[in-house]
Amino acid sequence: MVDGVLFVCHANMCRSPMAEFIARRLLRHLPVAVTSAGTDALDGAAMHPYAVEVAAGTGADPAAFRTRRLRPEHLTRAALVLTATLRQRSVCTALAPAALPRTFTLRQFARLAAAATVEVTEAAEQTEPIGPAATGEDSPLRAAVAAAARARGRLQPAAPDADDLRDPIGGSPADFRRCAEEIERSIRPVLALIGTAG
């Protein structure tokens, strides 16, 4: 069974498609499907041209990408939902309340993943397994989500704006590249946690 990560932003034209392409490159060696959607997207629109440049820089061809509006079934099928903002996380959990335990902002999940990786590593050193077998989860991704969710209760809350990924719409190509760099920085701890928890 292939697990899925769903990235969500406003229009599915900038942040979430860039995250989709960056994550596909970083997670390419794992059995993880990566998709994206927008809370207010119109189905079938093209990606923003500056986001296309970023996506093409991952080595993939983004020409066929088309936006899609977020639907409850997207959320219920995903093992992990990562949103660009707190507002979008709220929209996701309102659409599919059952997805709450596996829905985070991207930046929030990056902090949780970093903390959980330390915990999982320390437990492994004490010969206390915390991988899929120990957590009852059937995949490295689901084990990582469970480990991050446990870390959620131990970290101090972040400032309200610390979890939001700034929308580069209306900005320059450099603004899109900076946004993409922030996305990649946030995905790397997730990748590390999947590797450690798996």
Side-chain angles (χ1 to χ4, degrees):
M1 179 177 171
V2 177
D3 278 322
V5 178
L6 172 67
F7 289 97
V8 178
C9 72
H10 180 76
N12 196 210
M13 294 180 74
C14 303
R15 291 167 292 180
S16 61
M18 289 193 298
E20 176 182 337
F21 279 86
I22 291 167
R24 278 190 188 157
R25 176 176 54 84
L26 294 175
L27 301 173
R28 66 188 175 277
H29 62 287
L30 296 171
V32 175
V34 183
T35 58
S36 65
T39 56
D40 297 86
L42 298 174
D43 285 322
M47 196 187 310
H48 189 286
Y50 297 157
V52 169
E53 291 177 20
V54 168
T58 66
D61 181 2
F65 179 88
R66 292 296 177 265
T67 58
R68 64 179 188 159
R69 188 175 185 86
L70 181 68
R71 291 176 176 78
E73 58 269 23
H74 301 149
L75 298 161
T76 56
R77 286 195 299 252
L80 175 61
V81 179
L82 297 173
T83 69
T85 67
L86 289 167
R87 178 195 167 276
Q88 288 143 13
R89 187 183 71 184
S90 295
V91 171
C92 289
T93 57
L95 270 177
L100 175 63
R102 48 197 163 74
T103 302
F104 308 82
T105 70
L106 174 60
R107 294 180 73 184
Q108 173 194 30
F109 196 78
R111 286 195 312 277
L112 294 172
T117 299
V118 171
E119 176 190 314
V120 171
T121 302
E122 288 173 352
E125 290 170 357
Q126 298 170 11
T127 66
E128 297 174 17
I130 304 193
T135 61
E137 299 300 336
D138 57 1
S139 75
L141 176 59
R142 291 175 192 273
V145 172
R150 286 192 302 274
R152 182 185 260 172
R154 291 188 299 280
L155 290 185
Q156 290 294 325
D161 61 348
D163 284 333
D164 286 355
L165 181 64
R166 187 173 175 202
D167 193 346
I169 194 76
S172 67
D175 293 321
F176 277 74
R177 286 192 298 273
R178 278 191 290 273
C179 182
E181 288 164 3
E182 178 64 29
I183 290 167
E184 181 158 347
R185 277 195 301 272
S186 297
I187 293 173
R188 288 200 175 275
V190 179
L191 179 60
L193 178 57
I194 292 171
T196 305

